[in-house]
Amino acid sequence: MISAKDILEKVASGEMTPEEAELQLKMKPFVDLGFAKPDLHRGLRQGVPEVIYGEGKTPEQIDKITASLLEGGQETVLITRVSAEKAAALTTPVKYYDVARIGVAGKIPEPSAKGTIVVATGGTSDLPVAEEAAVTAELLGNKVERVYDVGVSGLHRLLAQKDKLMSASVIIAVAGMEGALASVIGGLVDCPVIAVPTSVGYGASFEGLTALLAMMNSCASGVTVVNIDNGFGAGYSASMINHIGG
Amino acid sequence: MISAKDILEKVASGEMTPEEAELQLKMKPFVDLGFAKPDLHRGLRQGVPEVIYGEGKTPEQIDKITASLLEGGQETVLITRVSAEKAAALTTPVKYYDVARIGVAGKIPEPSAKGTIVVATGGTSDLPVAEEAAVTAELLGNKVERVYDVGVSGLHRLLAQKDKLMSASVIIAVAGMEGALASVIGGLVDCPVIAVPTSVGYGASFEGLTALLAMMNSCASGVTVVNIDNGFGAGYSASMINHIGG
Amino acid sequence: MISAKDILEKVASGEMTPEEAELQLKMKPFVDLGFAKPDLHRGLRQGVPEVIYGEGKTPEQIDKITASLLEGGQETVLITRVSAEKAAALTTPVKYYDVARIGVAGKIPEPSAKGTIVVATGGTSDLPVAEEAAVTAELLGNKVERVYDVGVSGLHRLLAQKDKLMSASVIIAVAGMEGALASVIGGLVDCPVIAVPTSVGYGASFEGLTALLAMMNSCASGVTVVNIDNGFGAGYSASMINHIGG
Amino acid sequence: MISAKDILEKVASGEMTPEEAELQLKMKPFVDLGFAKPDLHRGLRQGVPEVIYGEGKTPEQIDKITASLLEGGQETVLITRVSAEKAAALTTPVKYYDVARIGVAGKIPEPSAKGTIVVATGGTSDLPVAEEAAVTAELLGNKVERVYDVGVSGLHRLLAQKDKLMSASVIIAVAGMEGALASVIGGLVDCPVIAVPTSVGYGASFEGLTALLAMMNSCASGVTVVNIDNGFGAGYSASMINHIGG
Amino acid sequence: MISAKDILEKVASGEMTPEEAELQLKMKPFVDLGFAKPDLHRGLRQGVPEVIYGEGKTPEQIDKITASLLEGGQETVLITRVSAEKAAALTTPVKYYDVARIGVAGKIPEPSAKGTIVVATGGTSDLPVAEEAAVTAELLGNKVERVYDVGVSGLHRLLAQKDKLMSASVIIAVAGMEGALASVIGGLVDCPVIAVPTSVGYGASFEGLTALLAMMNSCASGVTVVNIDNGFGAGYSASMINHIGG
Amino acid sequence: MISAKDILEKVASGEMTPEEAELQLKMKPFVDLGFAKPDLHRGLRQGVPEVIYGEGKTPEQIDKITASLLEGGQETVLITRVSAEKAAALTTPVKYYDVARIGVAGKIPEPSAKGTIVVATGGTSDLPVAEEAAVTAELLGNKVERVYDVGVSGLHRLLAQKDKLMSASVIIAVAGMEGALASVIGGLVDCPVIAVPTSVGYGASFEGLTALLAMMNSCASGVTVVNIDNGFGAGYSASMINHIGG
Amino acid sequence: MISAKDILEKVASGEMTPEEAELQLKMKPFVDLGFAKPDLHRGLRQGVPEVIYGEGKTPEQIDKITASLLEGGQETVLITRVSAEKAAALTTPVKYYDVARIGVAGKIPEPSAKGTIVVATGGTSDLPVAEEAAVTAELLGNKVERVYDVGVSGLHRLLAQKDKLMSASVIIAVAGMEGALASVIGGLVDCPVIAVPTSVGYGASFEGLTALLAMMNSCASGVTVVNIDNGFGAGYSASMINHIGG
Amino acid sequence: MISAKDILEKVASGEMTPEEAELQLKMKPFVDLGFAKPDLHRGLRQGVPEVIYGEGKTPEQIDKITASLLEGGQETVLITRVSAEKAAALTTPVKYYDVARIGVAGKIPEPSAKGTIVVATGGTSDLPVAEEAAVTAELLGNKVERVYDVGVSGLHRLLAQKDKLMSASVIIAVAGMEGALASVIGGLVDCPVIAVPTSVGYGASFEGLTALLAMMNSCASGVTVVNIDNGFGAGYSASMINHIGG
């Protein structure tokens, strides 16, 4: 895609008519598949390629969007929230991560950032969300360390991992119920903490709302929050932050 | 007040007519002041004397209820949620605890239980609620240890108080914001923890609702919860538990 | 597990090198199974052994965690929220309580506390939660008395059980709908009352939220509350309190 | 106001032209004061005259509406939610009930129904709402019995009033906090119970929402509910019901 | 059941020992089936016999409770919220109303009140709730008139039924969505209106919460509200009111 | 249907008796099918014929209502929220739109308004709601332009459609998640925007509530909102507005 | 402001250098006052000039923004949510509407649309919001008819205004409490209805939330909703719709 | 503070007794002022010094805590949420930022990170929160660029600042009402975006809850969220991220 200034210079030099230029300026940097408009230029614009949210899309739709992205030059295509059944029904070859429910087409990238992202969970039930975060971060070029089942009700399990936490570049704290993990980690470390509330719990956990609100009100500074069960968003933001460090 | 069986025996022995007996059985074990019916028999029934909730009562009403309770034989009368101004306007002589906003008329009791109740807070702003709990517990005959400003964002401050926490008979954990203190303490100790959410915080703390929900969902076992800012209720329940131990 | 002071003395006496001591101080008092970190020292730390929350765990995971706990020296392992099907699929021999949905591996303990815990319910539909509380309390070494279907709409049914209520050491009040049972019992007795809101009801009961809020606002003192349907938590707390009395 | 059939007969007999008839059929049975349209025919239509809701109206507006209603033939005009200051600023002579915050202009009616309405409250703080209900019912022609401060935490106070409750035609149960009073009364009596949640309480009482929800979920049949603090509405409905009995 | 006074007189006359009397006073006026305590004296106490809430009970439980009630002398037993399948599985002979999901065992009563109860609905989808109300009222001895599908978006359909509405003794207004039917009917008639919010609607109807709140805030006086979808409660209260008129 | 004035003139002229006239004035402009009262005069009254909401109606009920409307002279009958299975089970011949879940019986109308309605969506998952809006608008006689998958996270996709948006008469903005599409479009155009929140999203999207609240608070003027997923309502209102322009 | 195409043609013809063109394309069509960026081109872009939201702005800020807009060529400047005191403190001459709390600087426009906008309210307390809507609509060039205090509890008052309602081009229905006015009007007329929930009410009206939800769920088609108390937004949207008709 | 290993080595070498060592290990790295425990080691532990939350603290308390921190060696002390009056009452010399309501004692630091933090707001009313974020970031050693009043309803104002946004290292998006600014910026840039919902708005903005929920559901990846009005938290997290880049 050429820049606006380039276009204007071509007009000035007569290489392009004003009509052509106007057309170029309006040219859509996306493919229009009718049911969807995959964004071919996200890589340029945001440094991270377009990701397909698999929930509610048919295997055929996913295949078509994946194809259009690969053809558009994107090297790696992540497909999130895709069940094992749906992944199996794709004609595109994908590597599938079953706990994370993520499929990936194209090239698996090498780590491209120096730092390490730590993904911590309060309990065993938080694993699917934690893995969505961890695999997303890995596929966006990050080293990832997993520290699972270290909920605050058995503080020694968390403190035993203090070294890993202290050496992280970014930490993703994944927890349901009362979500206290984010505050405790936030108070221990000097790096950004991204809190992911999960829908783990029952009764007054309100499917993750309690954890979300608790994380929002963390008494520890340096904690920011993403949507309930949004492992992908946490992994994506953590990757952005981790890449700032080179 | 005589028991139902005593009354029936008096009827059988002719000491009492059936009509007198029926009257006795219906006799109201409370004083009817019109605007209120102070309960003279709560001490017998519940082991703890009637307490006056001062909010929304005039000094005159408080004076009258206090008088009726003292005349009814109650030795100590607690008056909670009473402002310094209102306390000063009482004609009844009271000892006033200003942070706790509690006044007490009659005799200040000695500790009558062996164990110690620990009252812990997340921050400085939780003090009024914590003091309401602590003073209530003291006035109901308990030794109280205060461990204030030990919020989980600086875990070492809490861990430094581990001995006090470990030797408690009951712990009252008072915290606003995300209320994580209750979970962390609950995971460290082997005694009952009563969690008191406070309205400390702003924005999505929703005046204590977030802390309440988080405490409700504590991943630590042994934690039970009272209403937002209900220091009195926590002190009262803690006293009941502490007195079980003799 | 030896104490910090013991370790330091061994270092001073030359029995232990500083390196060994540091290792000991960091030694993880839990087994790391990868997907979970069962806590072997909870018995020491909290006086009550580790309990397995069965919901969302596979039979294989439960078998492994149970084995690691029994090997770690724990005598009794409770597995809560486990369906009859899942319990049947375990290779570990367990005694199964079907209304309570609790399985227990190892030794069934004898009552180790003097007092009695009364579990009361408002209606028949509250039974699964009440049984979870009652069986938990029994398996943690308590005598339990059940007083079921005594909701406040037929007060005489509750009053007919007044003797049982009056002689309890702790009462667990289990109710859905408007949850008034906790307040009425709380006003009758002189022991701690743990209120368990249940998701019984429809419409504006909001799956137990109404009962939870009502219990939180109980006009009776001495009432504390646990999460909706959290029979286990109530039984666990009640056991802690009951054991204070010896 | 003449009926539609009367008008049509006058047209048939020539006493009225079709145009006049159409006008009559459209004639507005209310006064248009610009800022308000007092309803002169509510007495005919609903058996109870128009009532003025004083909140947010100026003394001048209240005076004008009252005058238009009295001129329109209404014998008694109730003005609810009017402060003592506002009532004092009215030029219309009114009898003022200060706890109930109700003023009344015109004739104070005699009881016109046989039965008695009982107004019961949980606590002293519920009095303003209870008095609004009681005074409304009295001014609509009912005998009213007050049973105040009989909250369920001291059940004997309520049971001591059982005779009054049992002989009521309708009961209005006024309570804040957990609102259990409605359920307990509802289970004791065989007459309709109108529950009025009040905004009395703090924290998770959410200004009466908890009481409202609890009353909505009453396990006792025969309980219906009005808005938070809506003493007027309860008194009005109770009066309607009480007058059914003649 | 004999009264307290009778018992006391028997004691005085020597017909009964104090011990026997005490026992009598404590005798439980209910059957204890273990899982339930059917209330045999509700008919005496409340004028309406015990009703079985079928939801969550097995056919066997319903059969047993029904049997105990019929044996206890109750002539008619209502079983609400019972599916056609469950009703078919009962061994007790019942007449089944399928839209209302009500079964009735024993005698179908004749109307015992003079007035008529009108049941009105906003739309066709409100029918199950409306029929629950209507059949309940009929089985409690009331004449019932049904006025269905008269929602306020087509006001002429409602106004066409004005005569029926005007001659009612009590009206039950059943509506989902915005629940405006209660207000419009409340403004038209001079009898009590019981509003039943239904879970009919989608999106921001929040399963009936919007209708409930709207009905609570009705600008028409004389409207009281029951729980979402609580047709039974509305029918029961309406019957109580209708029987006041003789 | 004749007018009130016509009836009165006939009475005056003797063509009609007062009794006949009264009957006429009360004649119900709807068919009473028992379970429903289809409104035959909505076309006259509201300019748009009666529409059948298919959800929760059986194919037989839909067939009967459709027949009564077609017999009543309505040319086109829309049936919304009808599944493919239900549509197939109808005996009435209907054209079925499967994404929109709309069936139509009778004549498909030609566009009768000059302007164009644009329907825009944030993502692919919003299509069913968008198509419900679009097909409704088409069947009510409007030209419709679809602009799908133009969510604000890839602003260039939206800006590329600026011409279509600028030339619209009314725009329907359909979006879930944070619903920002409505604000961005509202700030770009000079025509009314009807925002439709959808239940697309997860976690804190609360099934569309977040989008609804966000759209309600749009910082752009000229935006009004309908219920979550209410494509029909948006299409209906847009059609009303579009027809104002002739 | 010249169009993109004009700019490109000037570049092609040599009238403008590419650098100048790029600058032009980026030229900000707003004034940057530091604390605000008044939008000078809204009139061009949206057909309606920039409006100042007065709440939270100082008189000095309002004066500066007004001046910049008038200098920018805007003929009329509306200032909404401005108190009488603040309006009096402005140095800019404004005409002030006190019930509506709107000030206007510059020229008062003549009606520029053929149709009439009707503003209806449920009660007297809704007047400030209704006047905000009415005055906004008038100042944007519309004829406005006010129909106040026609709440559904006295339906005849509303029906008496049927002619006015029937001849409207757009109707704004302003109501608090249960907000039923929007549904009833929506069912009577064939023009778009914009519903404005107001914060009028108490208790479970939740400051307008109940009215908002009820209006969202209106069973009448053709109703769209704006934010609580957003009279301005309703007037603005109504004006947009009214001007479609020429 | 010396490390655990150092202490153990001193014990081994005899430089320290086990008792001294134990004391050292327990030594509190905080000052205990009774009402507060300022954390002297936060700088070591978290890289950022302790900050004083001024709300609810008296000037005397702030003076004492500030003094203890400065004496403890901290070079700069931030005091947030402090009013102009309170700041003036401090005896400690502070530089006061009045829009941000921040005071700073000690040394004002120079920028210590290479990147720039951009703070953007939707409107003028968001300034206090934005300034709290901006000043916090500056005082923690960052270059800050302010881009105010660029709400999405006038998209050209935001697009005009695209260069600034594109060159940011981190962006803080501050917005109330529907909070769409975060999504639009998130879609334009390739750096982390921290969204701060503000309590700006009215009605259904619910004091910032709507903005918070909307931001949580942002369709743009790379957006994380902090509490309502939490400018400090956003500035703090942004600073952490910005310093990763060196």
Side-chain angles (χ1 to χ4, degrees), chain D:
Chain D
M1 180 110 197
I2 58 174
S3 74
K5 186 144 183 282
D6 288 349
I7 292 174
L8 293 167
E9 275 167 358
K10 280 178 204 264
V11 176
S13 65
E15 282 180 77
M16 206 179 259
T17 64
E19 285 73 22
E20 285 168 349
E22 201 190 5
L23 194 70
Q24 276 286 347
L25 285 167
K26 283 189 171 164
M27 207 190 69
K28 290 166 298 186
F30 49 81
V31 190
D32 198 334
L33 300 177
F35 62 90
K37 302 189 171 55
D39 186 347
L40 302 178
H41 289 238
R42 185 173 292 216
L44 291 178
R45 206 172 68 250
Q46 299 210 302
V48 183
E50 177 84 323
V51 172
I52 303 171
Y53 180 71
E55 187 99 36
K57 295 204 177 69
T58 62
E60 293 69 36
Q61 289 177 320
I62 296 174
D63 277 326
K64 277 190 198 157
I65 302 176
T66 307
S68 77
L69 289 170
L70 292 174
E71 281 158 24
Q74 191 170 312
E75 294 198 330
T76 309
V77 177
L78 264 75
I79 310 153
T80 65
R81 301 278 166 107
V82 64
S83 64
E85 294 70 33
K86 201 180 281 184
L90 296 175
T91 56
T92 320
V94 296
K95 177 170 160 57
Y96 185 68
Y97 300 80
D98 67 339
V99 182
R101 289 165 305 151
I102 288 179
V104 59
K107 218 178 86 178
I108 308 287
E110 291 300 304
S112 52
K114 282 185 301 192
T116 297
I117 294 171
V118 167
V119 180
T121 71
T124 309
S125 313
D126 302 315
L127 249 74
V129 178
E131 279 298 308
E132 190 183 81
V135 170
T136 296
E138 285 170 342
L139 293 174
L140 296 175
N142 300 276
K143 279 171 287 185
V144 173
E145 181 96 49
R146 286 150 175 90
V147 179
Y148 289 170
D149 199 21
V150 292
V152 302
S153 71
L155 212 55
H156 59 302
R157 297 181 303 185
L158 179 65
L159 297 178
Q161 311 285 334
K162 219 175 150 177
D163 288 355
K164 280 188 196 161
L165 296 171
M166 298 303 258
S167 62
S169 166
V170 196
I171 297 174
I172 296 173
V174 182
M177 302 171 86
E178 90 281 54
L181 186 66
S183 292
V184 174
I185 290 181
L188 289 172
V189 302
D190 63 350
C191 71
V193 175
I194 297 173
V196 191
T198 69
S199 52
V200 169
Y202 61 91
S205 83
F206 299 125
E207 324 236 312
L209 176 57
T210 292
L212 186 157
L213 292 176
M215 286 165 163
M216 266 298 154
N217 284 280
S218 177
C219 55
S221 302
V223 177
T224 60
V225 188
V226 297
N227 195 2
I228 297 164
D229 291 337
N230 189 5
F232 166 72
Y236 187 101
S237 288
S239 174
M240 269 188 169
I241 294 171
N242 194 32
H243 281 82
I244 289 177

Side-chain angles (χ1 to χ4, degrees), chain A residues 29-30 35-37 227-228 230, chain F residues 124 148-149 156-157 163 202 204:
Chain A
F30 50 81
F35 61 90
K37 301 190 172 54
N227 196 2
I228 298 164
N230 189 6
Chain F
T124 309
Y148 289 170
D149 197 22
H156 59 302
R157 296 181 303 184
D163 288 355
Y202 61 90

Side-chain angles (χ1 to χ4, degrees), chain H residues 82-107:
Chain H
V82 64
S83 64
E85 293 71 31
K86 199 180 283 184
L90 297 175
T91 56
T92 320
V94 297
K95 178 168 157 59
Y96 186 69
Y97 300 79
D98 67 337
V99 181
R101 290 164 305 152
I102 287 180
V104 60
K107 217 179 86 179

Side-chain angles (χ1 to χ4, degrees), chain H residues 199-222:
Chain H
S199 52
V200 169
Y202 61 91
S205 83
F206 298 125
E207 323 235 314
L209 176 58
T210 292
L212 186 157
L213 293 175
M215 285 166 164
M216 267 297 154
N217 284 281
S218 177
C219 54
S221 302

Side-chain angles (χ1 to χ4, degrees), chain C residues 144-197:
Chain C
V144 173
E145 181 94 52
R146 287 152 174 88
V147 179
Y148 290 169
D149 198 21
V150 291
V152 302
S153 72
L155 211 54
H156 59 302
R157 296 180 305 184
L158 178 65
L159 296 179
Q161 312 284 334
K162 219 175 150 176
D163 287 354
K164 281 187 196 162
L165 296 171
M166 298 303 258
S167 61
S169 167
V170 196
I171 298 174
I172 297 173
V174 182
M177 302 172 86
E178 89 280 56
L181 185 66
S183 292
V184 173
I185 290 181
L188 290 172
V189 301
D190 63 350
C191 71
V193 175
I194 298 174
V196 191

Side-chain angles (χ1 to χ4, degrees), chain G residues 12-31:
Chain G
S13 66
E15 282 180 78
M16 207 179 257
T17 64
E19 287 71 23
E20 285 168 349
E22 201 190 4
L23 194 71
Q24 277 286 345
L25 286 166
K26 282 189 172 165
M27 206 189 68
K28 290 166 296 186
F30 50 82
V31 190

